[in-house]
Each structure stands twice: as structure tokens, then as C-alpha cells.
Amino acid sequence: MSEAVIDKEQGMIECEVVRGDVSLAPVAMPKLEDFVDLIQYPIHDLSSAKRQTLVDQCRKELDAVGCCHIPDIIRPESIERMRQEVERQRENIYWSENSHNPYMTKEDTSLAENHPARSFERRSSGFVNSDILEETSDLRAIYDCDVMVQFVSDCLGVGPIFRWADPLGRNPYSVMDEGDYFPWHFDGNEFTVSVLVQEPIKGGEFQYSPDLRTPEEENLEEVAKVLAGDLSKVHSLILKPGDMQIFKGRFSMHRVTRVEGNQSRYIALPTYMRDPDTVNRPEHARQFYGRALPIHFEREANRPDDLLD
Ligand SMILES: O=C(O)CCC(=O)C(=O)O
Ligand SMILES: [Fe+2]
């Protein structure tokens, strides 16, 4: 649970993270300045001209190419703490070696053979699911902080937004070892923040086709073109550890190219939605995060839009 306090005179937001029973022995939780470079990026100070310039720039990039990139916003010490968390969680990673289509739905042979939902690619990658993040995890603190939610909302020009209700997918680490590949897909959530934690020696490049579909239009023809190898409208983003990107994963189809070399790629993925209740479809949860929970079945009929998924 977290609380943001807005000081109206100063226009400042303080981020206070409160968790569990306060009478228990205190746990050292990272504070905003422990993970964000607030000197270069004063995202906590609503009255700051520097913040406004940053938000304007992000909005422009999101409108132009469906994604914005903020270099070096997360402090190196925080990146190192997240890297160590992933290493400690190695044995708890859910690894997948399934084939999936861009919508994470089961094969439907009643569809035409050239329908994108019948195009399956093999994924090999893993997740440290959100439900097993450590209590003092920097990723958890970043996600719990209302300053971050407000900042992402301002950059997107969409508000209010909420942390995703999906207990597995809301803020996982995605892990890719040598040879792993994450195929083209749309996300179950609308907006994702990515923070690269460890870069591979080669490959592991994030590629996306901006705003390929809308809540009203699947745009199957263009989706099929990308799946067939037409990269003419595809963008690549080279991230460095500590960089942050914001992108619209439900509408921009994306993938991560094969990781080459013996250094794994780790990335933190806090996610956001316009509604506070929907979660992944059970099949999507199963394919991405290894299992579907009762909440995925209970809320299956409750969708954010009418898209295939
Ligand atoms: O690893 C990434 O950069 C993106 C992973 C991804 O697309 C996802 O988890 O849905
Ligand atoms: Fe994704």
C-alpha cells in the first residue's frame, strides 16, 4: 500500500511507502531518491520547469513513435540491487518454452490460415513473477510509489491510470538467457514502463510497431505484414541499464530479439491500466506467467476492450 501526499503550496508530491503492520520491526524500504536521479529528473516536484519539459518531451515521443525513452533515470545502486534480486530469485523463475500467437490465445482452426491468430512462434524466456518480489525490492518500491504513477500518467497524457490488478504480471522481471527469444505479441495490460537491469552482450533488442491497433480496430492486415517479416514500420530501441521507457504494449505489437552471448538480459516491467480491475485472461496468464489463479477466471468476462487479447 502506498500514499502520495500532495503539498498544494509547493506542488510537491512526497512518496511514503507504508506496508503491513507498522508495529512490526521496521524494514528499510528504498525511498524515491534511492532509486530515481531526482537532480536530473525532479519527477516529484510538480512545480518544476525541468519536470514539465521532460513530460512534454515524453508526450511528444509517445505521440510520434508510441514510446518514450528516459536515459539514466534509475540510479546505478538501485539497478545493482535489482540485478542481485533477480540473481537471488533464479531458482523461482518461471521458464516458458511454448509457442504462442500475438494474442496468447489457443489455436482456432476455424479461422483462415493466414489470420495472425494462427501464426505461432516459439518463445523461450522467463519471468520473476510479481507475486514473489522480495519485501524490500526496489522494483516493488518503484511500483508502489504514487509519484511514479503520476509521472507515467502525465507522460502518456492519460489519466487516471492505475497499477495493474494482475497479481502475476503487474511488475515482473523478464529474464532472457543466451539463445532466448520473445516473439511478437500484444500485452494484456495497456501501458508498460521498462527499466533495463542487465544488458546482454548482443541481441535482446526491443522492437515494436507503434499503435498498430486501437481498442476499436485490430488492423489484422498490418499485423500479418509484420509477422511475415515486413519491418518497414518497426522501431528498435537500444536501452542501457538505468534507462526507462514507457510504451503502449496493448496497442503496439512488440518483441525482443534473440539474446546472444553469455550475459543474460534482465528487465523490470511495471505495468499500468486505465481501469483498476481487469487482469489477464487465464490462457494469457498461463502462457506468460506459468499459471492462472482464481482471480483470472473470476474476472475473465471483465475486459478492458473487445480486442482478441
Ligand atoms: O523484455 C521486454 O523488453 C519486454 C517483455 C514483454 O514484452 C512482456 O513481458 O510482455
Ligand atoms: Fe509485452
Side-chain angles (χ1 to χ4, degrees):
M1 187 170 63
S2 70
E3 241 172 58
V5 183
I6 301 183
D7 180 330
K8 293 209 172 57
E9 274 168 32
Q10 304 255 332
M12 298 274 286
I13 304 178
E14 277 176 30
C15 188
E16 186 190 324
V17 180
V18 185
R19 186 167 299 117
D21 183 344
V22 286
S23 66
L24 292 175
V27 187
M29 298 300 302
K31 295 192 287 296
L32 185 59
E33 64 264 33
D34 295 333
F35 50 84
V36 173
D37 176 355
L38 292 177
I39 308 292
Q40 212 189 337
Y41 298 112
I43 62 170
H44 61 302
D45 183 357
L46 295 184
S47 64
S48 147
K50 222 169 170 179
R51 182 187 191 273
Q52 193 54 50
T53 307
L54 174 63
V55 166
D56 291 345
Q57 176 64 28
C58 288
R59 181 91 58 92
K60 225 193 284 168
E61 284 178 34
L62 274 154
D63 287 344
V65 290
C67 181
C68 71
H69 175 210
I70 310 168
D72 285 329
I73 183 171
I74 305 297
R75 298 171 65 97
E77 310 83 61
S78 176
I79 293 293
E80 176 56 19
R81 285 192 295 269
M82 288 193 267
R83 197 190 65 74
Q84 288 177 14
E85 180 180 21
V86 177
E87 295 280 331
R88 282 193 297 274
Q89 291 275 27
R90 271 253 161 206
E91 64 186 32
N92 300 321
I93 289 175
Y94 169 69
W95 291 100
S96 165
E97 291 207 12
N98 291 330
S99 289
H100 63 67
N101 66 20
Y103 312 102
M104 249 55 66
T105 50
K106 286 189 176 138
E107 167 119 68
D108 179 352
T109 50
S110 71
L111 297 172
E113 260 176 41
N114 61 354
H115 191 291
R118 294 199 63 190
S119 169
F120 285 77
E121 279 189 287
R122 190 158 190 78
R123 171 165 83 93
S124 61
S125 79
F127 280 107
V128 175
N129 290 343
S130 311
D131 62 333
I132 59 164
L133 292 185
E134 295 170 357
E135 190 69 7
T136 56
S137 162
D138 278 55
L139 174 51
R140 195 193 267 271
I142 289 169
Y143 199 56
D144 280 350
C145 182
D146 284 351
V147 171
M148 199 53 88
V149 183
Q150 182 69 53
F151 175 64
V152 173
S153 166
D154 290 347
C155 290
L156 286 162
V158 176
I161 57 168
F162 300 90
R163 297 174 187 88
W164 197 15
D166 194 296
L168 303 179
R170 62 204 317 252
N171 56 340
Y173 292 102
S174 170
V175 178
M176 293 171 70
D177 287 345
E178 183 170 15
D180 284 348
Y181 169 64
F182 203 129
W184 289 114
H185 67 281
F186 294 101
D187 292 338
N189 63 292
E190 289 165 319
F191 313 114
T192 297
V193 167
S194 324
V195 177
L196 191 68
V197 169
Q198 180 168 282
E199 66 181 325
I201 292 164
K202 205 167 162 226
E205 201 173 288
F206 181 82
Q207 297 185 333
Y208 66 101
S209 183
D211 296 313
L212 193 57
R213 67 177 186 178
T214 67
E216 294 78 31
E217 174 55 59
E218 289 283 357
N219 203 5
L220 296 176
E221 216 168 286
E222 290 297 319
V223 173
K225 276 193 205 165
V226 177
L227 295 176
D230 178 355
L231 302 184
S232 57
K233 292 182 190 151
V234 167
H235 295 242
S236 274
L237 188 70
I238 310 291
L239 288 171
K240 292 278 165 200
D243 293 0
M244 185 169 130
Q245 72 157 329
I246 304 173
F247 77 102
K248 297 180 262 180
R250 187 151 182 78
F251 311 109
S252 304
M253 192 165 71
H254 52 283
R255 72 170 174 179
V256 184
T257 63
R258 201 167 299 284
V259 165
E260 296 170 50
N262 64 358
Q263 178 151 289
S264 305
R265 177 183 187 270
Y266 300 154
I267 195 162
L269 299 168
T271 62
Y272 302 91
M273 284 294 262
R274 265 181 299 204
D275 81 86
D277 298 317
T278 54
V279 295
N280 263 329
R281 284 208 166 99
E283 183 61 18
H284 197 141
R286 199 184 59 71
Q287 291 197 26
F288 259 35
Y289 307 109
R291 67 197 201 277
L293 302 170
I295 192 173
H296 296 113
F297 293 96
E298 283 157 18
R299 300 191 184 179
E300 190 172 6
N302 181 5
R303 305 310 311 153
D305 46 49
D306 293 327
L307 292 168
L308 285 168
D309 202 27

